[in-house]
Amino acid sequence: MKQFIIIFLLLFFGIAANSQVVKVINQETGEPLDLVMITSNKSQTYITTNSKGQVDISIFENAEIIIFRLLGFSAVEKSYSELKTDNFAVSLTPANVSMDEVVVSASRWNQISSSVPSKVSTISQKNISLSNPQTAADLLSVSGKVFIQKSQQGGGSPMIRGFATNRLLYVIDGVRMNTAIFRAGNIQNVISLDPFAMENTEVLFGPGSVIYGSDAIGGVMNFQTLIPEISATDEPFVTGKFITRYSSANNEKTGHFDISIGSKKWAMLSSFSSFDFDDLKMGSYGPEEYLRPFYVQRIDSLDVVVTNIDQKIQKISGYSQINMMQKIRFKPNNKWDFQYGVHYSETSDYSRYDRHIRYKNGLPRYGEWDYGPQIWMMNNLLISNNANIFLYDQMNIRIAHQYFEESRISRDFNKNDRETRIEKVDAYSVNFDFIKTIGNKNIVFYGAEFIQNDVNSKGINTDISTGISVTGPSRYPQSQWNSYGIYLTDKFSVSEKFIIQAAVRYNHFILDASFDTTFYPFPFTNANINDGKLTGSGGFVYKPNKKLIFSMNLATAFRSPNVDDMGKVFDSEPGSVIIPNPDLDAEYAYNGEITMAKMFGKFLKIDITGYYTLLQNALVRRDYTLNGLDSIIYDGTMSKVQAVQNAAEANVYGVQTGFELVLPYHFSLTSDFNYQKGEEELDDGTTSPSRHAPPWFGNTKLIYSYGLLTLQFYSVYSGEKSFEEMPEEEIGKDYMYAIDKNGNPYSPSWYTLNFKALCSISENFSVSAGVENITDQRYRPYSSGIVAPGRNVVLSLKAKF
């Protein structure tokens, strides 16, 4: 026992006898390169450079092949002895075209994209700096492969391959963000994330349930926030940045600051961002239906319709937000790494804009319809170990607690009754992930996941004329949702040209809910779901040469019923009310996709992916009865009773394609195009276009990049959704859409022309500026409640140290 303890202590607290620091720079500019991933051909272990391009490389001493990779640069291979001859200095050459990107989303471990059957897109830090996204939702749209819907300015609901909301999964620092109250309607939880605090962002397209469990049907959005940097030398390592930004379309005033302090073993990082957005101004040229002619203002205890002096200003759409993050890291040696992080985000109250443009009898339907502060907090502990033992080569353990709070405040026009519904969720999770190399051909990924969500919901009804508040009906029952999963993936290299991958996961889920019958005569007071699903995937990657890749992937995915599906009471639209339904099963999806990527010389890369997804047991709203009644009085209105039911089948198919072309004189041209078509079954057996399959969309960019200057002229565009192509669910929302010549709602096509510039004035200072929507188009992205910004001048200053 004593010998075991001594061995453990040596393993845990041992320090490498000698350290050797390598420095990686940009060959063109001489600038140090951050986040270069360094691996060897004999191990799955990897290290990354800090912001000064430095890292201790002693872990790879005597390695025959050491590989340096960074998105946007050509990979370099050297032996340890060659590095020693070069005085441990490495230069990477910029490359606009590459087949190899480092991705994490496909397996929770770093892999090369060309060896993964699934399609994964990476958004680089440079692209983020140039694009200057205002929110994390806008950040996702930078990829050109994700469509963003917004009900209000404080919103952003991604659509991927015809799926959205709770059929997509959000992952932050390896922890799932989806909770038991993620709804089928558009959501805005992604804005809780700070775009300035991102180290890496990826999108995994298609099913990811084998690795991530429930909800990962259409895709997985993986956000990795900044990591505290350990010093590569005996000197303390201090780095950070300050960013300020202004945007004219919403008078944005934003500031960000982060600092990382590291020693040989310890490091700390602090990050803070403040966002302030005024009312958003739409463009000048487009449908007149989008204008905002008047708005509601409370004057002398009355709701008064006020004429909007500038109808392009979308009144009461502004909001503010703060984000804070604190991390601490302890890395006693090359085998162990401990990281603990605290994240906090809070918005101000913000109006749900699409509800403020609803009308009833010629007057606004609502005097108030706001979301209360959206709060998100996460505590996350990551324990990593490189052991190369029998059970694993590397291990990650993630233990996390998240707290979510959201509320809805509504009041009809010139009515005194204000309804407030407050939801709080405590989400606990534990993940175990392992990777093991077996022989020269097999890599095994396996792990387990444990999740618990506690949902607390309450309602408050207030008479604003007297200030008296009483308990009202809650939106959800008091509930607990649990999920337990185990998974196994095997990656087998038949040869250097052919890789096969297969995976399986079993997931068990339990939902317990207690219903209050004080306000609604439900025929039950408790409900329970206890079930499990088996999912799997299989695919291959074939590389006949270094410039051609074929891949195919078949996968299944599921979404277990959550509290929002089973227990919600709310008005989905005027004249209908959703009530609880305890008899639900999980949705189940089948997906197939084929991808081809081809490089022509070193100047052109083309890739294309075709996919088809079939969703069975789809959870959809259907007519229902409550104690034999098909209609009840809700919120003073006779409303048709509906409930979420497993009552439909849906399918989506589409194509994603793009190219990257290197032009003379440091120019390049890139483009991404997405076409998707979806159908879902209606109650009468007929079909309707899928609500979350937007019209075709994409972007095209002409880029000049040389030395310290990058210029980008680009266009973002989307196709039309004619009335005949409109989903049944959207046709009734004519207040959000343009009107065609027949008087029917439709979503017009649109485009924007944009220009951005990024210039490094010195090693520590840079300026980013641009004009978005140069031609001042007035457009509303499909399914959105708020109109997109008009001409927008953006200016950002960045100082780093």
Side-chain angles (χ1 to χ4, degrees):
M1 183 65 180
K2 182 178 179 181
Q3 290 177 329
F4 174 79
I5 293 174
I6 291 173
I7 292 172
F8 178 81
L9 291 174
L10 288 173
L11 173 68
F12 193 86
F13 293 104
I15 304 174
N18 297 293
S19 63
Q20 180 58 61
V21 177
V22 67
K23 184 171 184 178
V24 186
I25 63 171
N26 183 327
Q27 189 176 48
E28 281 190 0
T29 66
E31 287 187 316
L33 293 176
D34 188 13
L35 300 176
V36 178
M37 193 182 86
I38 306 169
T39 59
S40 80
N41 63 326
K42 297 295 184 182
S43 170
Q44 293 298 318
T45 303
Y46 72 94
I47 53 178
T48 57
T49 57
N50 60 28
S51 58
K52 293 185 179 179
Q54 299 174 332
V55 68
D56 181 358
I57 203 170
S58 56
I59 191 174
F60 297 128
E61 188 172 7
N62 298 324
E64 295 179 359
I65 298 177
I66 301 173
I67 308 165
F68 297 78
R69 285 191 177 93
L70 179 63
L71 181 63
F73 291 81
S74 298
V76 169
E77 294 186 7
K78 288 181 178 289
S79 67
Y80 189 86
S81 59
E82 287 175 323
L83 288 174
K84 191 173 182 180
T85 301
D86 295 337
N87 295 318
F88 295 97
V90 176
S91 299
L92 298 187
T93 304
N96 292 320
V97 179
S98 174
M99 300 286 267
D100 291 331
E101 296 178 5
V102 179
V103 296
V104 178
S105 304
S107 66
R108 286 184 175 269
W109 296 97
N110 282 327
Q111 294 187 84
I112 305 304
S113 58
S114 61
S115 67
V116 175
S118 303
K119 183 177 179 63
V120 182
S121 177
T122 301
I123 304 173
S124 69
Q125 280 194 335
K126 183 176 181 180
N127 208 352
I128 294 172
S129 297
L130 181 63
S131 301
N132 257 322
Q134 290 190 343
T135 68
D138 298 330
L139 185 158
L140 289 168
S141 70
V142 170
S143 69
K145 302 176 179 69
V146 179
F147 190 91
I148 300 296
Q149 179 277 349
K150 291 186 179 183
S151 297
Q152 62 281 328
Q153 188 174 190
S157 189
M159 297 183 182
I160 300 175
R161 288 191 175 183
F163 294 98
T165 62
N166 55 17
R167 290 172 181 153
L168 302 176
L169 186 70
Y170 303 84
V171 177
I172 298 89
D173 290 352
V175 179
R176 64 179 285 136
M177 191 185 203
N178 294 40
T179 71
I181 63 170
F182 266 42
R183 58 189 181 275
N186 297 309
I187 59 176
Q188 60 270 359
N189 297 76
V190 71
I191 71 167
S192 291
L193 306 180
D194 184 355
F196 289 116
M198 293 301 156
E199 189 157 288
N200 187 52
T201 304
E202 294 178 5
V203 181
L204 168 67
F205 296 92
S209 282
V210 167
I211 302 297
Y212 296 99
S214 179
D215 302 2
I217 292 178
V220 178
M221 293 153 284
N222 195 325
F223 301 88
Q224 174 59 58
T225 60
L226 298 172
I227 299 173
E229 298 186 35
I230 296 291
S231 177
T233 67
D234 293 328
E235 298 295 322
F237 182 75
V238 181
T239 184
K241 63 180 179 287
F242 174 78
I243 301 173
T244 183
R245 183 176 63 209
Y246 172 80
S247 300
S248 64
N250 53 6
N251 196 28
E252 178 202 9
K253 299 170 287 292
T254 287
H256 167 81
F257 175 77
D258 66 67
I259 183 171
S260 177
I261 303 173
S263 65
K264 291 282 287 185
K265 295 183 182 180
W266 291 90
M268 297 178 64
L269 183 142
S270 300
S271 173
F272 175 81
S273 296
S274 173
F275 305 85
D276 185 81
F277 307 105
D278 286 349
D279 294 334
L280 184 63
K281 185 174 183 178
M282 67 181 77
S284 301
Y285 306 103
E288 292 189 3
E289 295 91 343
Y290 295 169
L291 293 171
R292 178 81 156 132
F294 51 81
Y295 60 97
V296 176
Q297 189 172 343
R298 189 76 174 172
I299 302 175
D300 295 331
S301 302
L302 289 175
D303 291 329
V304 178
V305 176
V306 178
T307 299
N308 192 4
I309 297 174
D310 186 347
Q311 296 187 23
K312 293 184 290 184
I313 301 293
Q314 299 176 82
K315 281 293 187 179
I316 58 172
S317 61
Y319 77 104
S320 60
Q321 179 174 328
I322 60 168
N323 283 78
M324 294 182 285
M325 181 175 70
Q326 180 67 52
K327 288 189 175 184
I328 185 169
R329 182 181 183 186
F330 175 54
K331 189 176 182 181
N333 50 49
N334 286 325
K335 293 186 177 295
W336 291 93
D337 195 348
F338 300 83
Q339 298 180 39
Y340 173 71
V342 181
H343 304 253
Y344 182 82
S345 173
E346 181 174 353
T347 70
S348 63
D349 289 2
Y350 55 97
S351 67
R352 178 162 173 180
Y353 186 80
D354 64 337
R355 294 297 173 101
H356 285 277
I357 57 175
R358 284 187 178 184
Y359 304 101
K360 185 177 182 180
N361 299 325
L363 292 172
R365 166 84 190 273
Y366 296 100
E368 296 177 60
W369 213 117
D370 300 327
Y371 287 111
Q374 178 173 291
I375 299 174
W376 171 67
M377 183 173 69
M378 180 170 75
N379 289 269
N380 179 25
L381 174 64
L382 169 62
I383 303 172
S384 301
N385 177 228
N386 298 319
N388 295 323
I389 61 176
F390 173 73
L391 290 176
Y392 62 85
D393 296 331
Q394 297 176 72
M395 171 193 72
N396 282 339
I397 300 174
R398 290 181 175 87
I399 304 170
H401 166 256
Q402 296 178 85
Y403 172 78
F404 301 81
E405 182 176 329
E406 58 187 52
S407 55
R408 294 161 176 82
I409 304 126
S410 62
R411 182 179 58 80
D412 284 352
F413 184 73
N414 268 327
K415 301 293 184 182
N416 290 326
D417 298 326
R418 175 191 290 147
E419 298 180 345
T420 302
R421 304 293 179 259
I422 303 172
E423 281 70 59
K424 300 178 181 180
V425 179
D426 285 286
Y428 307 89
S429 62
V430 181
N431 289 84
F432 298 90
D433 298 294
F434 305 91
I435 182 172
K436 178 64 181 177
T437 301
I438 301 175
N440 295 322
K441 293 182 177 293
N442 278 79
I443 302 176
V444 176
F445 311 90
Y446 65 100
E449 180 180 63
F450 306 89
I451 298 170
Q452 178 177 310
N453 283 191
D454 296 327
V455 178
N456 183 283
S457 181
K458 68 177 182 179
I460 302 171
N461 291 347
T462 303
D463 186 331
I464 64 172
S465 65
T466 64
I468 297 174
S469 297
V470 297
T471 300
S474 63
R475 181 178 170 91
Y476 297 115
Q478 310 311 304
S479 314
Q480 185 177 98
W481 180 84
N482 296 277
S483 174
Y484 314 105
I486 56 173
Y487 74 90
L488 174 68
T489 301
D490 182 52
K491 182 178 178 181
F492 179 66
S493 298
V494 179
S495 66
E496 290 186 357
K497 296 182 177 181
F498 194 67
I499 298 171
I500 300 174
Q501 184 167 302
V504 64
R505 179 188 181 108
Y506 177 75
N507 213 109
H508 200 85
F509 47 89
I510 302 171
L511 174 54
D512 291 300
S514 299
F515 292 87
D516 184 355
T517 57
T518 303
F519 299 96
Y520 303 109
F522 301 131
F524 46 81
T525 56
N526 293 284
N528 173 268
I529 295 176
N530 191 333
D531 201 358
K533 290 297 175 184
L534 186 70
T535 55
S537 67
F540 69 83
V541 177
Y542 174 55
K543 298 183 282 188
N545 55 62
K546 291 183 177 182
K547 296 187 176 183
L548 179 62
I549 299 175
F550 294 99
S551 65
M552 186 186 76
N553 196 47
L554 303 174
T556 59
F558 77 100
R559 186 177 77 82
S560 64
N562 63 20
V563 177
D564 185 85
D565 298 312
M566 184 183 77
K568 177 171 58 181
V569 178
F570 86 116
D571 61 327
S572 63
E573 57 190 19
S576 66
V577 59
I578 304 294
I579 69 167
N581 176 17
D583 300 317
L584 297 178
D585 194 9
E587 299 180 323
Y588 204 82
Y590 302 85
N591 179 80
E593 61 186 87
I594 299 175
T595 297
M596 184 202 76
K598 169 68 175 174
M599 279 186 65
F600 298 87
K602 294 183 178 181
F603 65 92
L604 176 62
K605 174 188 173 183
I606 298 175
D607 66 86
I608 183 168
T609 300
Y611 60 88
Y612 176 85
T613 305
L614 172 65
L615 181 67
Q616 295 184 332
N617 260 352
L619 292 164
V620 293
R621 293 202 299 260
R622 291 288 186 265
D623 291 345
Y624 201 59
T625 59
L626 178 61
N627 297 325
L629 300 174
D630 62 4
S631 297
I632 61 172
I633 298 294
Y634 179 80
D635 194 20
T637 302
M638 180 62 71
S639 302
K640 180 183 293 186
V641 175
Q642 294 184 325
V644 174
Q645 304 171 54
N646 294 106
E649 189 173 277
N651 66 83
V652 180
Y653 61 90
V655 174
Q656 293 176 291
T657 186
F659 70 82
E660 301 172 38
L661 175 64
V662 178
L663 300 171
Y665 306 109
H666 308 287
F667 281 93
S668 62
L669 184 68
T670 70
S671 187
D672 283 287
F673 180 82
N674 307 267
Y675 174 84
Q676 49 281 314
K677 197 84 170 178
E679 285 187 340
E680 54 188 46
E681 187 180 4
L682 298 177
D683 203 14
D684 60 2
T686 61
T687 61
S688 166
S690 174
R691 175 188 176 191
H692 292 138
W696 56 261
F697 69 95
N699 65 30
T700 300
K701 302 176 181 180
L702 177 65
I703 304 165
Y704 172 84
S705 183
Y706 182 70
L708 304 178
L709 178 65
T710 300
L711 305 175
Q712 185 180 94
F713 179 75
Y714 65 101
S715 177
V716 181
Y717 38 83
S718 177
E720 176 183 299
K721 201 85 148 161
S722 68
F723 174 73
E724 291 73 22
E725 297 173 307
M726 290 283 282
E728 190 74 19
E729 210 171 334
E730 295 294 296
I731 289 176
K733 302 175 184 177
D734 55 354
Y735 54 89
M736 288 186 354
Y737 290 98
I739 303 301
D740 66 18
K741 62 183 180 180
N742 297 316
N744 296 317
Y746 80 110
S747 181
S749 61
W750 55 266
Y751 74 93
T752 62
L753 300 178
N754 316 269
F755 176 78
K756 294 287 178 66
L758 176 63
C759 179
S760 297
I761 299 173
S762 68
E763 185 177 341
N764 296 320
F765 293 93
S766 61
V767 177
S768 176
V771 182
E772 298 172 339
N773 194 1
I774 296 171
T775 57
D776 206 23
Q777 299 296 303
R778 183 188 305 145
Y779 68 99
R780 178 180 265 144
Y782 164 73
S783 190
S784 292
I786 197 162
V787 183
R791 185 181 296 118
N792 184 31
V793 178
V794 183
L795 177 64
S796 177
L797 305 176
K798 177 179 177 180
K800 61 181 182 179
F801 55 90

